[in-house]
């Protein structure tokens, strides 16, 4: 039950776009369309941003989008804003359990 | 509105047990699975398992098998997570998190649409 692989950090200037990758295997990311992404600000609980690879919950800005190719999922944040600075975690269904990525700290320069 | 309110911080000695509660409101408690996820200080998220509040059925992560017990009290819409034989590396914030799957209609979806505020459990001698 290895963790999914995410880059430890990512950054971009306000208004720019940034993409965070999440690499797994055919037993998790590549095998199911149950990839989700969470945003976590310091000291706060995670917040669901994307589910089932590319769907956005109500209230999440359309600046956030998700995709998947093979064993790698991606979260793209377009039109970066200061409040997007946070940690982002991917997760995937892996056949009766969940595996998370190690997290990516997104910095808005 | 959906709310998950957890019990307060705990300090435990190695070898002891801890029981964290999660009180749900704003929806039908028995209609949605409840997961538990933990986060060690400065670390990532780790899934621990889920409970079906309707049947009491559970599914635990392999890592926690034999040490974790998830229960519920439907009369007060509250889920519980008890972790035994605590070690220092169990120091973490423990979250309850709702699964969006309607228990009657679909199987567990294994993602989390609402989270509790977290409960810090510190294990120290």
């Amino acid at each position: 039950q290895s963790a999914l692989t995410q880059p430890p950090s990512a950054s971009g200037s306000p208004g720019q776009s940034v993409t965070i990758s999440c690499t797994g295997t055919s037993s998790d990311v590549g095998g199911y369309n149950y990839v989700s992404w969470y945003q976590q600000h310091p000291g706060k609980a995670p917040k669901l941003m994307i589910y089932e690879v590319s769907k956005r919950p109500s209230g999440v800005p359309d600046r956030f989008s998700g995709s998947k190719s093979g064993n790698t999922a991606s979260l793209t944040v377009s039109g970066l804003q200061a409040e997007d600075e946070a940690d982002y975690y991917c997760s995937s269904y892996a056949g009766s359990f969940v595996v998370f990525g190690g997290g990516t700290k997104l910095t808005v320069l | 509105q959906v709310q998950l309110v957890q019990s307060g911080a705990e300090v435990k000695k190695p070898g002891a047990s801890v029981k964290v509660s999660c009180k749900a409101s704003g929806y039908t408690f028995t209609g949605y699975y409840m997961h538990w996820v933990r986060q060690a200080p400065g670390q990532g998220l780790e899934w621990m398992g889920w409970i079906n509040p309707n049947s009491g059925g559970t599914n635990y992560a392999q890592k926690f098998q034999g040490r974790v017990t998830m229960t519920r009290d439907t009369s007060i819409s509250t889920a519980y997570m008890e972790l035994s034989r605590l070690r220092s590396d169990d120091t973490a914030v423990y979250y309850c998190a709702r699964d969006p799957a309607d228990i009657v209609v679909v199987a567990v979806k294994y993602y989390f649409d609402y989270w509790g505020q977290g409960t810090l459990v510190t294990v120290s001698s």
Side-chain angles (χ1 to χ4, degrees), chain A residues 30-79:
Chain A
Y32 308 94
N33 286 324
Y34 276 106
V35 175
S36 52
W37 290 89
Y38 302 88
Q39 176 191 67
Q40 187 179 36
H41 288 109
K44 300 295 187 182
K47 175 186 175 183
L48 179 65
M49 303 302 284
I50 296 288
Y51 66 98
E52 293 175 12
V53 176
S54 59
K55 299 177 182 178
R56 268 189 318 277
S58 164
V60 172
D62 60 6
R63 302 185 294 103
F64 292 85
S65 62
S67 63
K68 188 183 85 166
S69 178
N71 296 336
T72 298
S74 298
L75 172 72
T76 297
V77 186
S78 305

Side-chain angles (χ1 to χ4, degrees), chain B residues 70-84:
Chain B
M70 295 178 189
T71 57
R72 90 291 189 217
D73 184 339
T74 58
S75 68
I76 55 172
S77 300
T78 299
Y80 302 92
M81 186 285 301
E82 183 170 22
L83 190 62
S84 63

